[in-house]
Amino acid sequence: MTEWVYANLTDIMGKVHTIALRKDYESFFKNGIGIDGSSIPGFASVNRSDLVAKPDMRTFVKIPWRHDEYLVLLKTYYEDNAFDKDPKNVAEKADLALKEMGYEAVLRPELEFFVLNENGRGNTHYFEPPYSDVTFEYRKKVSEAVQDMGIPIRYHHHENASGQIEVELLWIDGVELTCDYTIYTKIVSKWLAKDMGMAVTYMPKLKKDMAGNGMHIHMFLKKNGENIFRGDNEISQEARYFIGGILEHMPYITALTNPTINSYKRLNGGLEAPRYLAWGYRNRSTLIRVPARMKDIEVRNADSSANPYLAFSLIILAGLDGIKKKIEPSEPVDYDLYALSKEKLKEYPALPESLEDAIELMESDEFVKYALGNELYDTFIDMKKLEIEEFLQAITDWEIKKYRDI
């Protein structure tokens, strides 16, 4: 029986492209395989389309629920050099930047998504018990499969909205590997859903009155094997500088952490989606939360539509810039920002209100341009401007309902 390897490439917007190869195709594992970069959205023009995709053997893994089939993630090259527009290469650069400063990042992502054909039996709620949660068997299978692939799972549970679930990974060393494991978790969640006659979506905001899909990310830095964020009654000074860097740069990288038009329906809709550039201890109304154990921080604004290679990398690089420049954040907030009046909230700097605003801020920022590299930076902006233009030309159901009888 033929053994198959499904090799996966993540494009600029975070979508996965897969090629199936025989496991005994030795040349692929030694030299990679040629691909048409012009067929990957935003990757390459026709006259520079010959790219080589090589397997990252750290990610080679057996698919637990299929016989003699495997997964591997790809990295792309152009003329023997790492291809500048490959998001996976951005994460590798983030790890190198950490190493140059003597650090290693340890991350723990939380993935929220909806099971679309969840039929709503019972009153689904946060921590819905297995006997009344019709998503239970599905999310259990996803979590077990991911664990069998060597990816550590902290827990899985039903979230606040009907049919919404969360799978949270355990601590992972390194930015690139965290992104790899995030992509694999998404692949598994979609593949098993299809096998079970279901479908899932990572769309940030599915309905107006329902909680959206965030992609919170916990993190801390290690130096010489020791957690340098850890404190007793508060976090360390290095952690404060790291927070200061993230808060300073976040408005300019929001197009990467919240990259869709729909993302801003979540950010502007409340329900624990943070908009204001604040941080606090144990405070889920702030953009950055310091959990009770004082050993890590949680960045809460990113959503599940983000490309993890871009979003996680830029958050880490922003934090490192804070340490380099000793950027002191504002004082921590200990009250509920959601409970403040609109007038009071005007005192707090906020994230952009739309993708259009986020792109405009990103265009004005040299930090993001340097972090992504000129080609990826320009291409991402061009692709998002086209997306905004397409949306502005689209006729929505809301418009038809609102204006049809005029």
Side-chain angles (χ1 to χ4, degrees):
M1 182 180 235
T2 303
E3 294 182 289
W4 292 100
V5 177
Y6 305 119
N8 302 278
L9 172 69
T10 304
D11 69 18
I12 294 171
M13 297 303 152
K15 290 187 177 180
V16 173
H17 303 256
T18 307
I19 180 171
L21 305 112
R22 294 172 60 105
K23 188 170 178 282
D24 59 3
Y25 183 18
E26 294 182 4
S27 176
F28 166 68
F29 293 100
K30 290 180 180 178
N31 307 309
I33 190 168
I35 64 169
D36 175 9
S38 66
S39 294
I40 307 295
F43 253 41
S45 57
V46 175
N47 59 312
R48 296 181 61 207
S49 58
D50 285 352
L51 303 180
V52 175
K54 297 181 180 181
D56 177 355
M57 294 308 293
R58 290 191 311 168
T59 68
F60 185 82
V61 63
K62 189 179 187 305
I63 303 173
W65 70 95
R66 300 184 70 86
H67 184 65
D68 292 334
E69 296 180 17
Y70 303 83
L71 291 171
V72 72
L73 298 179
L74 296 169
K75 298 179 85 164
T76 51
Y77 297 81
Y78 180 73
E79 294 182 347
D80 296 326
N81 296 314
F83 184 53
D84 287 341
K85 291 187 182 182
D86 187 338
K88 192 163 159 59
N89 288 328
V90 175
E92 182 182 16
K93 290 177 185 176
D95 281 325
L96 289 173
L98 284 156
K99 187 177 180 180
E100 287 173 1
M101 294 179 66
Y103 300 130
E104 181 181 25
V106 185
L107 303 96
R108 192 181 81 210
E110 304 175 10
L111 282 75
E112 294 177 349
F113 55 99
F114 280 99
V115 179
L116 290 178
N117 60 343
E118 195 272 332
N119 62 19
R121 287 199 302 266
N123 297 313
T124 52
H125 57 260
Y126 186 64
F127 284 7
E128 183 81 14
Y131 57 79
S132 57
D133 178 8
V134 296
T135 71
F136 175 76
E137 292 300 334
Y138 162 71
R139 59 180 164 85
K140 180 170 176 279
K141 285 184 178 181
V142 170
S143 299
E144 289 176 343
V146 170
Q147 286 200 127
D148 287 344
M149 291 165 61
I151 300 171
I153 294 289
R154 186 176 185 225
Y155 54 58
H156 62 88
H157 64 85
H158 196 286
E159 263 292 348
N160 284 296
S162 178
Q164 185 185 36
I165 62 180
E166 177 180 309
V167 176
E168 182 170 334
L169 307 187
L170 264 173
W171 294 111
I172 304 160
D173 290 339
V175 180
E176 185 180 357
L177 192 60
T178 300
C179 299
D180 294 340
Y181 285 177
T182 301
I183 291 296
Y184 268 163
T185 304
K186 281 191 166 187
I187 288 173
V188 171
S189 70
K190 293 178 180 182
W191 198 334
L192 283 176
K194 179 177 74 75
D195 287 354
M196 295 175 69
M198 308 162 82
V200 298
T201 181
Y202 286 83
M203 184 176 173
K205 190 76 171 178
L206 193 59
K207 292 183 179 179
K208 178 182 177 181
D209 57 350
M210 290 169 60
N213 288 323
M215 187 164 61
H216 303 165
I217 177 75
H218 293 254
M219 60 189 70
F220 64 88
L221 299 186
K222 289 193 299 188
K223 192 166 191 174
N224 300 322
E226 296 294 325
N227 181 348
I228 66 165
F229 280 13
R230 188 188 299 273
D232 294 323
N233 297 318
E234 59 181 25
I235 52 172
S236 69
Q237 184 60 59
E238 289 97 331
R240 288 178 67 97
Y241 290 149
F242 194 85
I243 289 171
I246 294 173
L247 293 178
E248 178 160 304
H249 289 293
M250 185 55 77
Y252 306 97
I253 65 177
T254 304
L256 300 168
T257 58
N258 305 87
T260 68
I261 289 166
N262 182 257
S263 296
Y264 298 85
K265 303 288 178 69
R266 170 181 170 266
L267 286 180
N268 296 323
L271 298 174
E272 293 195 7
R275 276 204 65 227
Y276 298 96
L277 299 172
W279 71 286
Y281 292 100
R282 308 176 184 86
N283 192 343
R284 282 182 166 81
S285 72
T286 55
L287 192 144
I288 297 176
R289 177 177 74 100
V290 179
R293 293 184 180 181
M294 307 294 170
K295 69 176 185 178
D296 66 279
I297 67 169
E298 178 192 32
V299 180
R300 296 177 53 78
N301 65 297
D303 67 53
S304 293
S305 69
N307 182 335
Y309 294 107
L310 302 182
F312 296 173
S313 298
L314 267 291
I315 290 171
I316 289 291
L317 291 171
L320 287 181
D321 195 52
I323 293 176
K324 287 178 187 175
K325 296 177 180 176
K326 296 185 176 180
I327 300 173
E328 188 68 49
S330 57
E331 288 302 307
V333 170
D334 62 0
Y335 43 85
D336 183 0
L337 287 171
Y338 302 124
L340 298 182
S341 67
K342 289 184 179 180
E343 284 302 312
K344 189 67 176 175
L345 283 172
K346 289 179 181 178
E347 297 176 11
Y348 292 87
L351 296 176
E353 292 190 351
S354 66
L355 180 60
E356 191 170 9
D357 291 343
I359 289 297
E360 187 175 336
L361 283 170
M362 182 174 167
E363 280 189 291
S364 71
D365 190 68
E366 289 298 318
F367 171 82
V368 182
K369 188 173 186 178
Y370 178 79
L372 293 179
N374 290 348
E375 286 198 43
L376 179 54
Y377 172 84
D378 289 339
T379 299
F380 183 90
I381 288 172
D382 288 344
M383 293 177 76
K384 285 299 164 184
K385 283 184 174 180
L386 179 60
E387 184 177 323
I388 292 166
E389 184 179 340
E390 289 174 352
F391 176 73
L392 291 175
Q393 293 175 356
I395 309 302
T396 66
D397 290 343
W398 181 89
E399 291 171 283
I400 293 171
K401 183 178 179 181
K402 187 77 173 178
Y403 304 124
R404 181 180 57 190
D405 295 330
I406 288 179

